[in-house]
Amino acid sequence: MSALPTTGREWHLVARPQGWPTPADFALREAPVAEPGEGQVLVRNIHFSVDPYMRGRMSTAKSYVEPFELDKPMQGGAVGEVIASNAEGFEAGDHVLHFLGWREYATVNAKSAVKVDAETAPLSTYLGVLGMPGLTAYAGLLRVADFKEGDAVFVSGAAGAVGGQVGQIAKLKGASRVIGSAGSDEKVKVLLEEYGFDAAFNYKNGPVKDQLKEAAPDGIDVYFDNVGGDHLEAAIATLNLHGRIAVCGMISQYNATEPTPAPRNLAQIIAKRFRMEGLLVGDHYDLQPQFVEEVSAWVRSGELKYRETFVEGIENGVEAFLGLLRGENTGKMVVSLPA
């Protein structure tokens, strides 16, 4: 057996971003790698995830999750290979999903690691289509938005890891119409030609409200919100009686330094009797077995398509995250670490 690594690189947050994060807010540092203690495994990370919610963890504002600590490694989903085990049920060569991303090596408590099968699906998919973003899409559409066959569905941020899956699940479950918004003509093409959306538009090409009205002449029954702002206002304007809104994210506001205005037409909630509910995936892990069974079958059959955007090398981890905030990804943004 080859000697275990004694050090590895990891990304630390060194300053709280004001507005848009900059590379100066982060530092890539060499740190000791701890051998696994009782009930632990040492993992060489192969892929780690960067996600929009991480921007919130860089702030000290009160939120649903603890902020990242300064001068400590950041966290996030990662998948890797066990290279040493001191835990029953795990051995070197196993692949595991865990939450100590943003680093080359992670000493992980085995009880918080989940074995994954590289034969069933590529390892990176456990961070995206079969992982947390996929479950977010599944639970948000089917449970929070209470999707019903025949509903017309609008998804913002539809070319992202969550949005693309929401639209496709809606189609597979019998939506009457699925509409998506994205930030480039290339992404709109993916939505229409690959993901099977009925209509899609580039929100930069004109007012969202006008483009949505044209794409959904009969209104919408469900809005899956990843963006907030003008998208939420447009969706409220287009929503049918007793419509449902699942609020997953508001990426348009994450880097705002001043309070952003609420939708100016929120009073329509009275006349339209629509329901609007926030969505945190952690509330819905009871759906995980059902989700994996149903979605993995769709992936295997080719009925559900997914895209991944890979950035190679830990040294490019922060640039991958900043690129995600700028909308440079199609599908899941993943940082890959060469062996």
Side-chain angles (χ1 to χ4, degrees), residues 16-52:
R16 303 277 177 207
Q18 301 298 314
W20 279 85
T22 70
D25 297 322
F26 308 88
L28 183 61
R29 292 172 171 166
E30 194 88 16
V33 172
E35 287 193 26
E38 185 70 33
Q40 293 184 321
V41 293
L42 177 59
V43 180
R44 178 184 68 80
N45 283 338
I46 297 171
H47 304 289
F48 71 81
S49 178
V50 291
D51 300 283

Side-chain angles (χ1 to χ4, degrees), residues 134-149 151 153 165-175 222 224 244 246 275 277 279 284 287 290-291 294-295 298 304:
L135 180 59
T136 302
Y138 188 88
L141 178 70
L142 301 181
R143 178 180 279 172
V144 178
D146 192 23
F147 172 85
K148 296 178 178 65
E149 188 176 350
D151 280 344
V153 177
Q165 211 155 330
V166 170
Q168 292 183 80
I169 293 171
K171 288 291 288 185
L172 288 162
K173 293 280 189 181
V222 168
F224 195 103
R244 285 90 66 209
R275 183 169 60 78
E277 185 177 336
L279 160 62
H284 304 284
L287 291 176
Q290 176 186 325
F291 153 72
E294 194 163 19
V295 174
W298 286 332
L304 194 148

Side-chain angles (χ1 to χ4, degrees), residues 116-132:
V116 293
D117 185 0
E119 300 294 314
T120 302
L123 290 174
S124 57
T125 62
Y126 294 103
L127 299 175
V129 65
L130 296 178
M132 181 268 288

